[in-house]
Amino acid sequence: MTFTIVYAHGGGFTSYDPEIGRLRTDALQAAGLRVVPVEYRLAPGHRHPAQVDDVLDAYRSTRGPVVFLGESAGGTIVLSALLRLLADGDPLPAGVAAISPVTDLTLPGGSFVTNDGADIITRDALRRSVEAYVGEGGVGPASPSHGDFAGSPPLWLAVGTAEVLLDDVVTLATSARESGVTTELRVYEGAQHGFPFSGGYTVDKDLAGWIEALG
């Protein structure tokens, strides 16, 4: 079965670099994936849930079986899009993959503290991105980790051990499994935020293998 990847880029909810976007799309296509990139509206000019709406619009206009993929802020957005579909009882994608998503926008302790300074992004930088994304709307409704994943299609989550987001992603994987969701968690040793761009990790190959197994 051939899946179309509805892909949401990173950029802290506030930025998009077309050249970087092209490089990531090319890398994913080189791994054998058919990609539809979503150039969602950016914060702070457009607050949550505008970005989620844009991903869902792309999903509903794509024919055939779909897998969601998001990286960093894009991972947060595709997880939120999945939760919207679940809550509304709408047709679901075949699977959802998120690389280094922010899942709890309250940015609690754990690796948000212990890896602060070891990663290329900081807790303070994430806090500013979150504020731009949600405005005065409150972080709870925009946090995927606060949602109910029961009934979700399979999830594939990836994170690096040097990331401030490490514990956040691991916690979401644990919670999803406890809700009965088939969840694969890949933790890449020594990897900082944005590690798929480094070329030193097998993340795209691993992702392509997981997607192939869905069919």
Side-chain angles (χ1 to χ4, degrees):
M1 183 180 298
T2 300
F3 295 97
T4 298
I5 311 305
V6 171
Y7 169 68
H9 62 82
F13 306 107
T14 63
S15 66
Y16 173 64
D17 184 325
E19 180 63 19
I20 292 176
R22 183 187 63 78
L23 290 173
R24 277 305 289 144
T25 299
D26 288 351
L28 293 167
Q29 290 174 339
L33 303 176
R34 179 174 180 266
V35 182
V36 174
V38 182
E39 294 187 19
Y40 54 80
R41 287 169 287 175
L42 300 174
H46 301 277
R47 308 282 193 183
H48 172 271
Q51 298 78 8
V52 177
D53 294 339
D54 291 346
V55 166
L56 290 174
D57 285 346
Y59 168 56
R60 289 170 177 140
S61 64
T62 301
R63 293 184 177 182
V66 166
V67 171
F68 286 170
L69 168 62
E71 297 180 331
S72 189
T76 309
I77 293 164
V78 299
L79 290 168
S80 294
L82 169 62
L83 287 168
R84 172 92 65 83
L85 294 171
L86 286 165
D88 291 348
D90 290 340
L92 301 173
V96 176
I99 300 171
S100 305
V102 188
T103 77
D104 188 343
L105 300 184
T106 68
L107 309 181
S111 60
F112 282 112
V113 175
T114 58
N115 281 352
D116 201 11
D119 198 0
I120 63 170
I121 60 169
T122 66
R123 192 183 192 189
D124 283 343
L126 283 173
R127 185 175 290 112
R128 290 191 295 271
S129 293
V130 168
E131 289 172 354
Y133 180 50
V134 301
E136 298 179 356
V139 297
S143 294
S145 66
H146 295 196
D148 183 3
F149 284 90
S152 169
L155 300 179
W156 189 89
L157 303 172
V159 69
T161 60
E163 291 197 68
V164 291
L165 297 166
L166 172 62
D167 289 347
D168 192 30
V169 175
V170 171
T171 298
L172 179 67
T174 301
S175 176
R177 287 167 176 159
E178 290 174 350
S179 296
V181 180
T182 300
T183 304
E184 183 169 336
L185 173 65
R186 292 291 184 116
V187 179
Y188 294 85
E189 186 64 35
Q192 296 181 327
H193 196 70
F195 66 91
F197 290 93
S198 72
Y201 297 92
T202 60
V203 57
D204 290 342
K205 179 180 177 182
D206 297 339
L207 172 62
W210 175 77
I211 291 172
E212 183 178 2
L214 289 176

